[in-house]
Amino acid sequence: MKTISMTVLSVTLPLLISTAVIANDPFAELDNEVEQLYVDDTAEFEQWYAEHLSEFNKWQMAYLEQWDKQQVSSIEKWGDAKTPSQDTLVVYNEETESRTVVDLEKGEITINYPAPSNSTSESADADLLVVNKVITDNKELWQQVGFRIPEPATSQVVYVEPVKVQEQTFEEVRQEIIAQTERQMSQLDIYAEQNMVMVSPPQKERIVEQQKQVLEANKQKRIITAQANIQKQKTVHQQQPTKMVEYKVKIPSSALSERAGSYLPQIKIESAKRGLSPALVLAIMHEESHFNPQARSHVPAYGLMQIVPTTAGHDVNKLYRGNDAPMRATDLYNPEINIETGTEYLNILHNRYLKGIKDPKSAKYSVIAAYNTGSGNVAKAFGERRVSAAIKKINSMTSDQVYQQLITNLPYDETRNYLKKVNNRMQSYQAHNNSTI
């Protein structure tokens, strides 16, 4: 990638000044020379900016390639598209050829493994032994999600079912691909805002739009490929029937609040430092990871508050820690670092990018949306290119009007739904924790 030198301005400027002083209109001449310098370098800046965003896009799409491979493998072997994500844990055991899926969104754990070819009703005891071995092997995992002492499985909850691809599988995969693409477009918008150079707003929008078209084309390609593969595997499973042993159990209803409670002391400490509501942090953490410190999405984002190392992580490093570099994913799996980073990013959004919003509720709605999609897209929801102009409009509206404007006009469905969910959860945490939040 070509590096653009900014030293040319400092070298040329003294010469321009000395020449301009002897002219009839020295300041006009100086302005003309500097403007010419800017024009001469415009194409160079635009090329650098386009290449920079292109590299970011390639980095994002590389993680989607991993997800696509996992999805194909899952449908081929298990008949479904259950893959690791920010709210789903998937653990494989080579010894038992089993798969354990912890779905934090649905609140259930499922264990599967291929049924022996000679499996009969008399072999139920053998199946039970395998399931209980898997439970024992994953004891720590079960405890992490809410089972203090995992209870042994019984024959009443262990079934042998034929492996088949369900009719809704393609629609589930399609919707996931759409959501992934929208989240990546949001991150592209945030990255573009953070890496502003001497490129005019219209040119910047053109370059960003070109990169979004790349993401859109990739989305359509992935959907077509997924549809073909799912149809193929549906036929394979019909022509070559196999069976799967399945055990499913609900995670205790108290597990979510217990996981949240384990992080509440740290949340209160970091929130207090920045004047944030702990209920806001809890609601975002709930939506982002269901309080799973090892959560990783295919944006990619990491940990409890789903920090993207190159956008939110870089911002916090640069503006808070004095380190102009992206964060490391390994650090973001540390709950203390993740909570510190997530709360500081909320603080940066509130007191830097969206500074000046007078009504506290309006500010909170705007910050929630910006946490997901960036302050630039908040501005777009109010029909503005510049955030400062959007803030003027926000300050002329009631908080209810601001909320309705955001959930109606934010650029992405994913962000509109995100704002609704986080707002509802925030109110719930406030209602149930008045003594502590």
Side-chain angles (χ1 to χ4, degrees):
M1 180 185 295
K2 186 173 183 179
T3 302
I4 297 175
S5 173
M6 301 298 290
T7 59
V8 62
L9 190 56
S10 61
V11 172
T12 309
L13 204 51
L15 178 61
L16 292 177
I17 293 174
S18 62
T19 305
V21 168
I22 62 174
N24 292 332
D25 190 355
F27 293 106
E29 186 172 341
L30 177 61
D31 289 343
N32 182 63
E33 293 288 349
V34 173
E35 183 179 345
Q36 187 60 46
L37 180 66
Y38 174 82
V39 171
D40 290 344
D41 284 345
T42 295
E44 201 170 3
F45 279 118
E46 288 178 6
Q47 181 182 353
W48 178 88
Y49 192 61
E51 290 175 355
H52 208 54
L53 296 193
S54 177
E55 285 189 5
F56 179 74
N57 250 5
K58 289 175 182 176
W59 175 75
Q60 288 201 108
M61 289 190 292
Y63 281 83
L64 290 184
E65 290 179 8
Q66 294 178 14
W67 185 85
D68 288 340
K69 290 177 182 177
Q70 291 172 339
Q71 176 250 127
V72 168
S73 177
S74 180
I75 293 174
E76 182 178 336
K77 183 169 183 178
W78 309 97
D80 59 43
K82 294 178 181 178
T83 57
S85 68
Q86 64 268 33
D87 51 30
T88 304
L89 301 170
V90 181
V91 178
Y92 299 98
N93 186 312
E94 292 184 5
E95 181 183 355
T96 56
E97 297 184 12
S98 67
R99 178 189 69 169
T100 300
V101 178
V102 181
D103 190 324
L104 297 174
E105 177 75 34
K106 293 181 179 178
E108 64 184 23
I109 298 177
T110 305
I111 294 174
N112 297 109
Y113 76 93
S117 57
N118 59 350
S119 181
T120 63
S121 58
E122 286 75 22
S123 65
D125 289 342
D127 294 335
L128 200 57
L129 286 173
V130 175
V131 170
N132 280 316
K133 175 174 172 46
V134 175
I135 292 173
T136 302
D137 289 346
N138 291 327
K139 182 179 179 180
E140 289 185 8
L141 173 65
W142 287 62
Q143 291 175 344
Q144 287 172 11
V145 298
F147 288 88
R148 290 186 179 86
I149 302 176
E151 295 184 3
T154 63
S155 58
Q156 286 75 25
V157 290
V158 175
Y159 304 92
V160 177
E161 301 285 348
V163 177
K164 59 181 180 180
V165 180
Q166 300 295 331
E167 290 299 323
Q168 71 269 22
T169 299
F170 169 66
E171 183 57 25
E172 290 172 355
V173 171
R174 190 181 75 87
Q175 289 298 330
E176 180 62 23
I177 291 173
I178 291 171
Q180 289 172 346
T181 304
E182 286 200 351
R183 192 67 186 268
Q184 291 196 319
M185 286 185 179
S186 284
Q187 290 302 315
L188 177 66
D189 289 332
I190 295 171
Y191 191 74
E193 290 169 26
Q194 292 176 345
N195 290 272
M196 292 298 292
V197 292
M198 294 175 68
V199 178
S200 66
Q203 288 297 86
K204 176 217 165 194
E205 290 178 3
R206 178 184 61 79
I207 293 169
V208 172
E209 184 57 35
Q210 286 175 344
Q211 291 304 316
K212 285 184 180 180
Q213 289 174 7
V214 172
L215 289 174
E216 179 66 26
N218 191 49
K219 180 189 80 174
Q220 297 299 336
K221 178 182 177 182
R222 293 173 66 215
I223 289 174
I224 292 170
T225 301
Q227 185 175 29
N229 176 65
I230 289 170
Q231 186 57 49
K232 174 185 174 182
Q233 292 305 322
K234 187 183 293 186
T235 302
V236 169
H237 287 301
Q238 288 172 345
Q239 295 177 346
Q240 302 172 10
T242 57
K243 292 185 177 181
M244 192 75 62
V245 176
E246 180 171 287
Y247 163 77
K248 186 174 292 187
V249 64
K250 282 288 184 182
I251 298 172
S253 57
S254 60
L256 183 70
S257 60
E258 288 178 3
R259 291 200 304 274
S262 67
Y263 301 112
L264 187 56
Q266 184 71 15
I267 289 171
K268 287 183 176 180
I269 290 171
E270 298 298 341
S271 296
K273 289 179 183 177
R274 299 165 175 88
L276 299 171
S277 162
L280 169 62
V281 180
L282 282 163
I284 286 176
M285 197 179 294
H286 185 156
E287 177 61 23
E288 293 286 359
S289 70
H290 289 75
F291 306 101
N292 168 27
Q294 297 301 310
R296 191 191 84 170
S297 70
H298 292 272
V299 170
Y302 300 88
L304 290 166
M305 297 188 73
Q306 286 294 277
I307 307 297
V308 179
T310 50
T311 52
H314 195 159
D315 245 6
V316 173
N317 260 1
K318 180 179 179 179
L319 300 174
Y320 176 67
R321 301 187 179 108
N323 177 22
D324 190 4
M327 290 189 69
R328 295 181 301 182
T330 50
D331 288 338
L332 290 169
Y333 285 132
N334 180 312
E336 290 188 5
I337 294 176
N338 193 283
I339 294 170
E340 177 191 50
T341 303
T343 53
E344 179 57 29
Y345 187 55
L346 288 169
N347 183 51
I348 289 170
L349 290 170
H350 183 262
N351 291 309
R352 184 181 178 92
Y353 295 132
L354 295 168
K355 184 178 181 180
I357 300 177
K358 296 176 181 178
D359 185 275
K361 282 189 176 180
S362 295
K364 196 167 288 187
Y365 297 145
S366 301
V367 165
I368 292 169
Y371 190 89
N372 179 268
T373 196
S375 57
N377 282 331
V378 171
K380 288 178 184 177
F382 294 89
E384 297 293 343
R385 179 179 287 163
R386 294 181 296 112
V387 175
S388 58
I391 289 174
K392 288 181 181 179
K393 284 189 176 180
I394 290 171
N395 286 336
S396 70
M397 304 166 72
T398 67
S399 59
D400 286 344
Q401 289 173 331
V402 169
Y403 180 76
Q404 289 300 322
Q405 185 80 9
L406 287 168
I407 63 171
T408 303
N409 296 304
L410 280 163
Y412 305 114
D413 288 340
E414 199 260 355
T415 308
R416 293 193 285 270
N417 292 330
Y418 182 88
L419 175 56
K420 292 177 186 177
K421 290 178 182 178
V422 171
N423 183 50
N424 290 337
R425 284 176 172 147
M426 181 174 61
Q427 292 177 6
S428 177
Y429 280 116
Q430 287 171 330
H432 290 87
N433 294 278
N434 284 331
S435 61
T436 55
I437 296 177

